[in-house]
Structures are given as C-alpha cells and as structure tokens.
Amino acid sequence: QQESTWWRGAVIYQIYPRSFYDANQDGIGDLPGITQQLPYVAALGVDAIWLSPFFKSPMKDFGYDVSDYRDVDPLFGTLDDFKQLVQVAHELGLKVMIDQVLSHTSDEHAWFQESRVSRDNPKSDWYVWADPKPDGTPPNNWLSIFGGCAWQWESRRQQYYLHNFLVSQPDLNFHNPEVVEHLLDTVKFWLDLGVDGFRLDTVNFYMHDRQLRDNPGLSAGDSKSLGVPGTNPYSMQKHQYDISQPENLGFLKKLRALLDQYDDITTVGEIGDDNPLALMAQYTADNDKLHMAYTFDLLNIHRKPDYLASVIEKIEGAINDGWACWALSNHDVVRCITRWGAEEADQVAYGKVLLALVTSLRGSVCLYQGEELGLPEADIPFEKIQDPYGIPFWPEYKGRDGCRTPMPWVGDEGNAGFSSAEPWLPVDPRHNSLAVDKQEQQSDSMLAHYRTYLRWRKQFAVLVDGELSDVQSNAQGLRFVRYNDEQRLLVAFNLSDSDMTISLPEGNWQALEGHGFAFRLENGSVTLPPYQAAFATT
Ligand code: NOJ
Ligand code: CA
C-alpha cells in the first residue's frame, strides 16, 4: 500500500478544550462542546484538529499533568464522548490528532504514588531519582523551565526527583525499558480508538544524562533563551545534559515502528532547545522518527522581516528530507498579533497577511483557536491568573492565560456565548465584537478571509511539495519562491503599514487572483499596499 502523506502541507487547527465550547454549561469547555462546533472547524478549510490534553488530570498545568493516560477527565466528558468526537470529525473529513504528554506524569499518577514511597518498590525506578550531594543539596544544577531548581526532595526515599516543569510534574525515566513499553502501550490504546496522529509534548525532554552532569553556564556570545516555554526565559544555563540527549532518537524510532503498524498516522513534536532548528531537522530526518516538529522560532517576539528570512534560510539549510510544522500562535505564547505588536486598527489586516505567510512556508501549519478571528491577547489581572507559570515571573512574564480565554461565539450574549456559567477565565470584552456570529455577517472579516484563503491555497500542490528559494527581505517585508517541476510560485508579504516594493527574481511573472489580497506587478518588482500579500507564477 502507498503511504499517505496527508499531513505534508496540512493545516492543523489546535483546540484548547477548556476554552472552546462549554456544552454542559459549567464554565469549562468539554468534548461534547468541541463535537458540536466541529462543523465550524471543518468550514474553515483545515485538514486536521489537534486537541490539547483532555486526559484525567489534577489540572495543575491544565492537563499537561496527566494522572491517567487512558481516560478522559470527567470535566471534559467520557471516553464515549471522545469516540463520538472522532466519528463526527471523520464524517466531516477532519483528521484527529491528540496530545501525548509522555515526558512526565502528574504526581497524582498511580505510578508516581507507588514510586515515591520507597527505593525498592516495583515502580521505584520509573522516575528520575537521585541521591543528594553529601551536604544534602540537589544532585546537580539543573533548573526547571517553570523556574527554580529542577529537583524536589522526597523524604520517604531520602532522595530527589527530577521535574523539568512543575514540582507536581515528575519526570519519567526513559532509560527504563519498562517505562518505555508502558508508554508505547498507551499510544497504542489511542491508535486503536482511531486517532490519526499525535502532538508530542516536549519531545526532546524524554531522556536525561545518566551521569547527571551539571549544565554549563552561558558564555559570552551565547544567545539567551527567549521568553517561551521550552526554554527558561531567565535561565543562565546551556541545556547540555538535562534535555536533547542522543538516546532520544532511539525512543523516537521505537515509537515510529509502532505508528507504522497503522495507516496514515502522523506526529508533530514540540521542540524547545538552545538549538531547536537543528534538532527539528534531525528528529524528522530519514522517515523513521517524527513526521514533523515545531520550534518556538516563530512563536517568539521577533517580528522583523530579516529575522523571519534568517529563520527560513536556516531551516532550508538544515532540513534536508525532514519536515517542519510552523505555528505563530498556540496555548503557550502571547497571541501573535499582539506579540508582534500591530496597532489595534491594523490587527485584522496584519492577521490576514500573517496567515498567508505561515501557510506559504515549506512545511505544515498549526493554527490556534481564535487566530481565525484575529483575537488579540486577553488582559488578565493578577488576581485572576490561573497559569502556575505566570506567577513566579510576574510581572516581567505574565504567563499563558491571555491566550487561553474562552472562544467568543456569539458577541451579544453573556460570556460571548461560550457558556452561561462563569467561565474559568474571563472573556476579554474586546473579543465580543470579534465573535464568530459577528464575523460571519461581514464579508471582509478575518474569518471570511480565512475561509476564502485556505480554500484558494488548496489548489497549489507547489505549496505542499515545492522547494523554497530566492528568499529576500527588506525593512518592511519579504518574498520567496516555491517551485516544483510544474510551477514556480512567487510569494511576497508586506508586514508594514506603508507601501512596499520588492524586486522579483528573473522570470515572466503573472499575477494570481482569488486570494483576497491586492498588489501591483511591475517590471521586475512588485508593490504591495500595507499588510498585503502577493502571489504570482511563471
Ligand atoms: C509544553 C506544553 O505545550 C505546555 O503547555 C506545558 O506546560 C509543558 N509542555 C509541560 O508539559
Ligand atoms: Ca463543561
């Protein structure tokens, strides 16, 4: 049978279940709520959904702390609700990808409950346990991504355990084959329920250095990590020994061997590292590990065209037969149009050109719920902050609640139609006028543009399988070419609020229409009004 590569160039819509739609009106989004809104998602013209975790969890990290990998948290519904969701999605032609948080569990997981009580129980080696130094201090200098020391004392064992994130997210010991076997078994559980793929949380954090060597400090010239999860914004260390260990590749191959027993499965790994693009290339190379991976390179604060051009060129230089998955927004970062600093009046136009940009790159794309509405980051006062990561670094870093507020469905209803109960995070009043029902009535809305543009894009195979060349940027924007044996497609983007002109590569370029943008092709150059994209072919 011919291997299907539906995921290449696919547009994946990320759903954050807590905040999508609340079907049972308790203030928290749920699986039946998602199922109810799937026709809306399908109408966007996306190929797949990625559901953030809905598994049993004490919700200290809102589901990224799993206490039972094989069940649905009652807050979100039941396993039957999940089966129903998969069925409806498939009827609508949507693939279903789910999150797998394999690197760590919740401290309430039965495995950890057992592991923590003694040094000789059957699960004693399932987590990363280490003796203190002779003076009682932690075994090494590793730091948690969420701040502070990565080691937590357990008096019953007189040992420390490793946690790369919250204290309540103990790190599983991937050097233990029994752990690996059990994790692969949970992946199989979901494959047997008919899911089409997985988003793999912190995919480069699985293995740690067995010798527990100290991480080196940063030296002059090392770039400091950016304020995004996956790389501690205030870390003064290089991640040499705590993450991204070579043994990780072995695990990824085992996982892939399992996935290859099923048809058309895909994976997208989340990579947070000091050198993420190289790791993305390595993890997706040779068709025997991950299918795709994403990094935080476009999820950080740099919006400058020359920075974008440099990321594109860097990945083109490294990726070979690997595959990127690009994202501008997700549940971990400030919503893109706010983060990249568009003036309020320009935000809709800016969001439109960003969609064109991210879907023209070589790779696949993750869109985050609400991006299609042009939602700005919500303002949340400190008293209402839920994200544990938001608290230690406040106010320099305000955490991730501002991108996790409820989807606005009906502008004139309470809580923007998300729920009749008070939602777990407040709806930002600026989101009411951007609600789905309002935008459906406006032909030039962001939502209308997403629908038109994503359909239009589908006719270009070159945007899926084409190579990328001729990257050029100026102070306002950038352009590049996608090409295959059949076609050359020029794309240009003006990210600024004034007209931009950029030169064209050699060729007899003909303007394309139907994408919803305005531009003028001239002799050897193209001129774009503010926040417009241009498409031309030879
Ligand atoms: C990355 C997830 O995207 C983030 O939300 C979570 O807090 C950490 N991994 C820890 O699981
Ligand atoms: Ca609910």
Side-chain angles (χ1 to χ4, degrees):
Q1 192 198 329
Q2 176 85 39
E3 183 192 5
S4 156
T5 51
W6 66 266
W7 47 273
R8 284 190 195 267
V11 178
I12 303 162
Y13 183 84
Q14 182 194 353
I15 293 177
Y16 195 69
R18 266 187 111 75
S19 299
F20 199 58
Y21 184 66
D22 180 16
N24 69 351
Q25 308 293 318
D26 65 354
I28 296 178
D30 40 51
L31 296 184
I34 295 171
T35 307
Q36 222 169 297
Q37 301 291 5
L38 282 178
Y40 164 82
V41 178
L44 288 171
V46 301
D47 304 288
I49 55 171
W50 145 27
L51 299 174
S52 274
F54 50 80
F55 317 102
K56 270 215 172 105
S57 163
M59 304 289 167
K60 302 265 175 56
D61 191 19
F62 297 106
Y64 285 94
D65 49 330
V66 180
S67 57
D68 182 347
Y69 284 115
R70 303 188 194 191
D71 207 353
V72 173
D73 194 279
L75 265 183
F76 295 131
T78 62
L79 257 187
D80 280 334
D81 292 330
F82 179 73
K83 291 178 192 164
Q84 174 73 11
L85 184 157
V86 173
Q87 189 187 330
V88 172
H90 286 165
E91 281 163 14
L92 289 164
L94 291 168
K95 304 274 190 186
V96 178
M97 301 176 65
I98 64 170
D99 229 299
Q100 293 285 275
V101 192
L102 304 181
S103 192
H104 46 264
T105 68
S106 157
D107 58 351
E108 293 184 24
H109 197 293
W111 298 343
F112 189 70
Q113 295 291 320
E114 195 176 339
S115 189
R116 76 185 313 172
V117 293
S118 70
R119 294 188 186 201
D120 54 9
N121 70 76
K123 303 251 177 340
S124 58
D125 188 39
W126 279 42
Y127 293 82
V128 184
W129 292 102
D131 290 335
K133 285 190 178 154
D135 66 356
T137 57
N140 64 25
N141 70 356
W142 296 352
L143 294 172
S144 159
I145 300 295
F146 285 169
C149 176
W151 296 96
Q152 176 71 14
W153 180 246
E154 167 56 71
S155 52
R156 282 171 285 190
R157 288 181 59 135
Q158 296 283 299
Q159 279 183 316
Y160 285 95
Y161 68 83
L162 177 68
H163 61 91
N164 285 309
F165 297 91
L166 297 175
V167 171
S168 57
Q169 291 169 304
D171 210 59
L172 281 163
N173 178 15
F174 274 66
H175 293 294
N176 181 339
E178 257 187 290
V179 170
V180 167
E181 191 190 315
H182 274 76
L183 291 175
L184 292 179
D185 237 38
T186 69
V187 172
K188 185 168 178 337
F189 173 86
W190 295 103
L191 286 167
D192 291 335
L193 284 179
V195 307
D196 304 290
F198 303 95
R199 180 267 188 187
L200 299 166
D201 190 68
T202 57
V203 75
N204 58 313
F205 282 54
Y206 294 155
M207 300 279 180
H208 60 281
D209 176 44
R210 281 179 194 264
Q211 297 174 52
L212 304 181
R213 280 169 280 190
D214 277 341
N215 276 333
L218 294 180
S219 29
D222 286 335
S223 63
K224 255 191 84 173
S225 305
L226 295 150
V228 291
T231 48
N232 188 329
Y234 305 105
S235 174
M236 295 307 290
Q237 294 177 358
K238 283 192 228 183
H239 289 285
Q240 186 166 342
Y241 293 115
D242 52 348
I243 61 172
S244 307
Q245 298 302 293
E247 295 98 319
N248 223 27
L249 296 171
F251 174 76
L252 296 180
K253 286 184 187 169
K254 285 201 184 103
L255 172 65
R256 181 60 179 266
L258 167 65
L259 304 179
D260 285 347
Q261 293 169 23
Y262 294 74
D263 289 334
D264 305 344
I265 304 298
T266 196
T267 48
V268 54
E270 178 205 26
I271 295 179
D273 186 64
D274 297 335
N275 196 2
L277 291 176
L279 218 54
M280 175 201 261
Q282 187 186 31
Y283 281 15
T284 59
D286 301 330
N287 203 28
D288 65 352
K289 294 175 287 294
L290 297 181
H291 301 78
M292 325 180 248
Y294 75 81
T295 68
F296 286 86
D297 287 274
L298 299 186
L299 289 162
N300 61 31
I301 47 176
H302 296 305
R303 63 173 277 191
K304 288 223 172 83
D306 59 346
Y307 170 77
L308 296 173
S310 75
V311 170
I312 296 169
E313 293 199 305
K314 202 163 161 188
I315 194 62
E316 286 303 319
I319 195 96
N320 297 319
D321 69 339
W323 198 258
C325 184
W326 300 105
L328 295 174
S329 284
N330 68 24
H331 66 296
D332 286 332
V333 298
V334 172
R335 284 186 177 277
C336 188
I337 52 176
T338 304
R339 191 179 73 240
W340 282 5
E343 298 292 328
E344 206 152 319
D346 293 338
Q347 285 181 346
V348 168
Y350 195 45
K352 290 178 182 176
V353 68
L354 289 179
L355 173 69
L357 169 62
V358 76
T359 54
S360 296
L361 297 171
R362 198 153 79 93
S364 304
V365 178
C366 285
L367 299 176
Y368 179 54
Q369 68 182 46
E371 214 173 336
E372 77 280 17
L373 302 175
L375 301 185
E377 180 82 352
D379 261 331
I380 317 266
F382 185 69
E383 314 77 71
K384 293 240 160 135
I385 287 287
Q386 306 280 333
D387 180 14
Y389 188 26
I391 295 163
F393 299 125
W394 184 280
E396 283 78 28
Y397 174 64
K398 295 188 170 153
R400 303 166 294 179
D401 293 319
C403 65
R404 296 177 175 180
T405 57
M407 271 284 281
W409 294 100
V410 188
D412 296 333
E413 275 182 15
N415 306 318
F418 164 74
S419 175
S420 55
E422 190 187 338
W424 73 288
L425 279 175
V427 174
D428 189 308
R430 291 171 303 163
H431 291 185
N432 286 68
S433 58
L434 295 167
V436 172
D437 74 321
K438 303 262 177 205
Q439 297 207 31
E440 282 188 325
Q441 285 153 29
Q442 300 155 6
S443 58
D444 62 346
S445 67
M446 183 87 96
L447 178 59
H449 176 82
Y450 262 66
R451 289 174 175 167
T452 315
Y453 173 81
L454 289 176
R455 282 220 158 61
W456 177 83
R457 173 184 179 266
K458 278 218 153 91
Q459 55 184 310
F460 296 100
V462 67
L463 287 176
V464 174
D465 64 17
E467 304 284 323
L468 190 152
S469 68
D470 299 276
V471 184
Q472 198 177 99
S473 62
N474 60 28
Q476 293 167 281
L478 67 160
R479 58 100 155 133
F480 51 86
V481 171
R482 299 291 308 274
Y483 67 95
N484 59 16
D485 291 343
E486 276 83 53
Q487 192 172 30
R488 279 174 89 204
L489 186 70
L490 171 101
V491 291
F493 312 96
N494 181 358
L495 304 177
S496 78
D497 59 6
S498 52
D499 283 7
M500 155 182 141
T501 299
I502 197 161
S503 74
L504 294 173
E506 276 303 289
N508 178 23
W509 295 100
Q510 307 292 319
L512 288 164
E513 280 166 15
H515 38 65
F517 292 102
F519 60 91
R520 251 185 0 263
L521 278 188
E522 279 138 13
N523 218 355
S525 70
V526 56
T527 297
L528 300 91
Y531 305 110
Q532 296 301 304
F535 297 87
T537 188
T538 53

